[in-house]
Amino acid sequence: SPDLTAYPEPPTPPNPTSQNMFNKLIAEKQKALRGGDRERRPFIASECRDLNAADKWRQEILREIGKKVMEIQNAGLGEHRLRDLNDEINKLIREKSHWEKQILKLGGPNYVAQGGGGVGGDEKANDEMHKKGYKYFGAAKQLPGVKQLFETGKNNRTTRKTKHQINKTIDADYYGFRDEEDGVLLREEAVATKRMRGAKCEAFDLRKKIKADMGGGDEDDADPSSINRFVAHVPLPEKTQIEALVLEKKKKDLLAKYSSETLIQQQGAAREMLNKR
C-alpha cells in the first residue's frame, strides 16, 4: 500500500471572518496614523472661523499644488491632460489666495505680503501670461500656442525711459525758441495778419455804410447836445441833507444799542413836548 505520509495534507483555507477582522484592523490602524477620518475642506473660505483650521486648509492646498506641479512636468501626458492640470493648478492658486485673505481677517499672518509661500517649489511657474493672472507651469509652456505667447511677450517688451533720458533729448526746439530762424513762420504770420486785418476793415466799412444808409450818421460826428441826458422828475436831496439823515440814523442805532427802553421813551416824550421830531 502506498505511504500516505509522503503527501502532506493541503493547508486549511483561512476563516473569512478572521480575514475580515484583520483587514478592518489594518484599515483602522492606517486611519489612526493619518489622523482619523479626513475632514472635507469647506468650499467657501469665509465659512471657516477657526484660524488653525484655515491655516491647515491652506497647507493642504499647497501640498496639492506641489503634487500637480510635479505631475505637469511630464511632457508625455498629452495635450489635454496638461491643459487640465494647468487649469487645476490655477484654480488651486485662486483658492489659496482666498484662504490667505481669510487667515488675515482672522488675525493670522499676512501670507499675501510674504508671497504666498511659493507654488510647489517651482520658481519659473510664476510667469504671468495675462493680466487676469493665468499662469502656465512645466510642460504646459511648450503647448501649441502657448510657446508663441511667451515669445511674442518677450519681443514686445519695451523698456521705459527714465526722466533723465527724456530730458537729454529736450533742446531749444522743444520749447519753440528756434521757430523763427528759418523765416517761414514769420512769412506765414504776416500773410495771416494781413488777411485778418483786411477782413476787419471790410466789416467796419460795411457797418458804417449801413448806418449812413439808415440816416444814423457816424458816431464820431454826432452832436454832443443831441445825446439824451438823464432828467429827474422828482426832487433829489442835497448832499447836506443826505449827511444829516445818515448822522441821525447812526445816532438812533447807538441809542438803541446802549440805551434802555425806558430812556428811549423818556426822550420821545421830551421831543413831543418840544415839538421836535
Side-chain angles (χ1 to χ4, degrees), residues 19-226:
Q19 187 69 25
N20 291 337
M21 292 294 293
F22 180 74
N23 293 337
K24 288 182 180 180
L25 180 62
I26 296 299
E28 292 293 336
K29 187 176 181 180
Q30 291 179 354
K31 186 188 296 184
L33 292 174
R34 289 196 302 266
D37 292 334
R38 186 174 181 181
E39 188 180 358
R40 189 172 182 180
R41 184 168 67 237
F43 184 74
I44 301 176
S46 58
E47 294 179 353
C48 182
R49 301 298 179 182
D50 187 8
L51 178 60
N52 295 328
D55 193 80
K56 180 185 72 173
W57 297 129
R58 177 183 174 274
Q59 294 296 332
E60 181 180 301
I61 293 172
L62 284 176
R63 287 192 293 269
E64 292 181 9
I65 293 174
K67 291 179 182 178
K68 293 184 182 297
V69 169
M70 292 295 294
E71 186 179 356
I72 204 173
Q73 304 300 324
N74 186 6
L77 294 176
E79 179 180 352
H80 297 290
R81 179 56 182 163
L82 289 175
R83 291 188 184 276
D84 292 342
L85 276 174
N86 202 76
D87 292 340
E88 292 173 5
I89 294 172
N90 280 275
K91 183 179 178 181
L92 287 172
I93 290 175
R94 289 194 297 271
E95 187 177 357
K96 179 177 70 70
S97 65
H98 295 328
W99 282 105
E100 289 173 351
K101 292 177 182 177
Q102 182 65 16
I103 290 172
L104 186 60
K105 288 181 181 179
L106 295 175
N110 189 1
Y111 291 111
V112 179
Q114 298 174 8
V119 183
D122 189 1
E123 296 179 357
K124 297 182 180 180
N126 294 326
D127 296 333
E128 295 188 3
M129 290 302 301
H130 303 289
K131 293 181 179 179
K132 295 182 179 180
Y134 192 85
K135 305 171 186 178
Y136 289 92
F137 301 86
K141 297 179 182 179
Q142 306 299 327
L143 291 175
V146 180
K147 192 174 182 180
Q148 288 78 2
L149 286 176
F150 277 101
E151 293 177 355
T152 54
K154 292 179 180 179
N155 296 332
N156 295 335
R157 189 176 300 170
T158 57
T159 57
R160 189 175 180 180
K161 291 184 178 180
T162 62
K163 187 176 181 180
H164 178 68
Q165 293 175 346
I166 295 174
N167 291 334
K168 289 172 70 175
T169 60
I170 294 177
D171 52 6
D173 293 332
Y174 178 81
Y175 296 101
F177 292 147
R178 300 176 183 173
D179 293 343
E180 301 177 357
E181 290 185 357
D182 53 0
V184 177
L185 183 61
L186 294 176
R187 288 195 299 270
E188 294 292 337
E189 287 182 351
V191 173
T193 303
K194 186 177 180 180
R195 183 172 62 252
M196 293 174 65
R197 187 176 295 167
K200 291 286 186 181
C201 293
E202 290 178 1
F204 176 77
D205 294 339
L206 181 61
R207 287 197 303 270
K208 188 174 181 180
K209 183 179 179 182
I210 292 172
K211 287 183 179 180
D213 295 340
M214 294 176 64
D218 195 357
E219 295 180 357
D220 297 336
D221 299 337
D223 186 6
S225 61
S226 63

Side-chain angles (χ1 to χ4, degrees), residues 236-254:
L236 296 177
E238 297 180 356
K239 185 177 180 181
T240 55
Q241 296 176 351
I242 295 173
E243 291 177 353
L245 290 173
V246 172
L247 183 61
E248 185 67 23
K249 188 175 185 307
K250 288 183 178 180
K251 287 181 179 180
K252 289 181 179 181
D253 293 339
L254 289 173

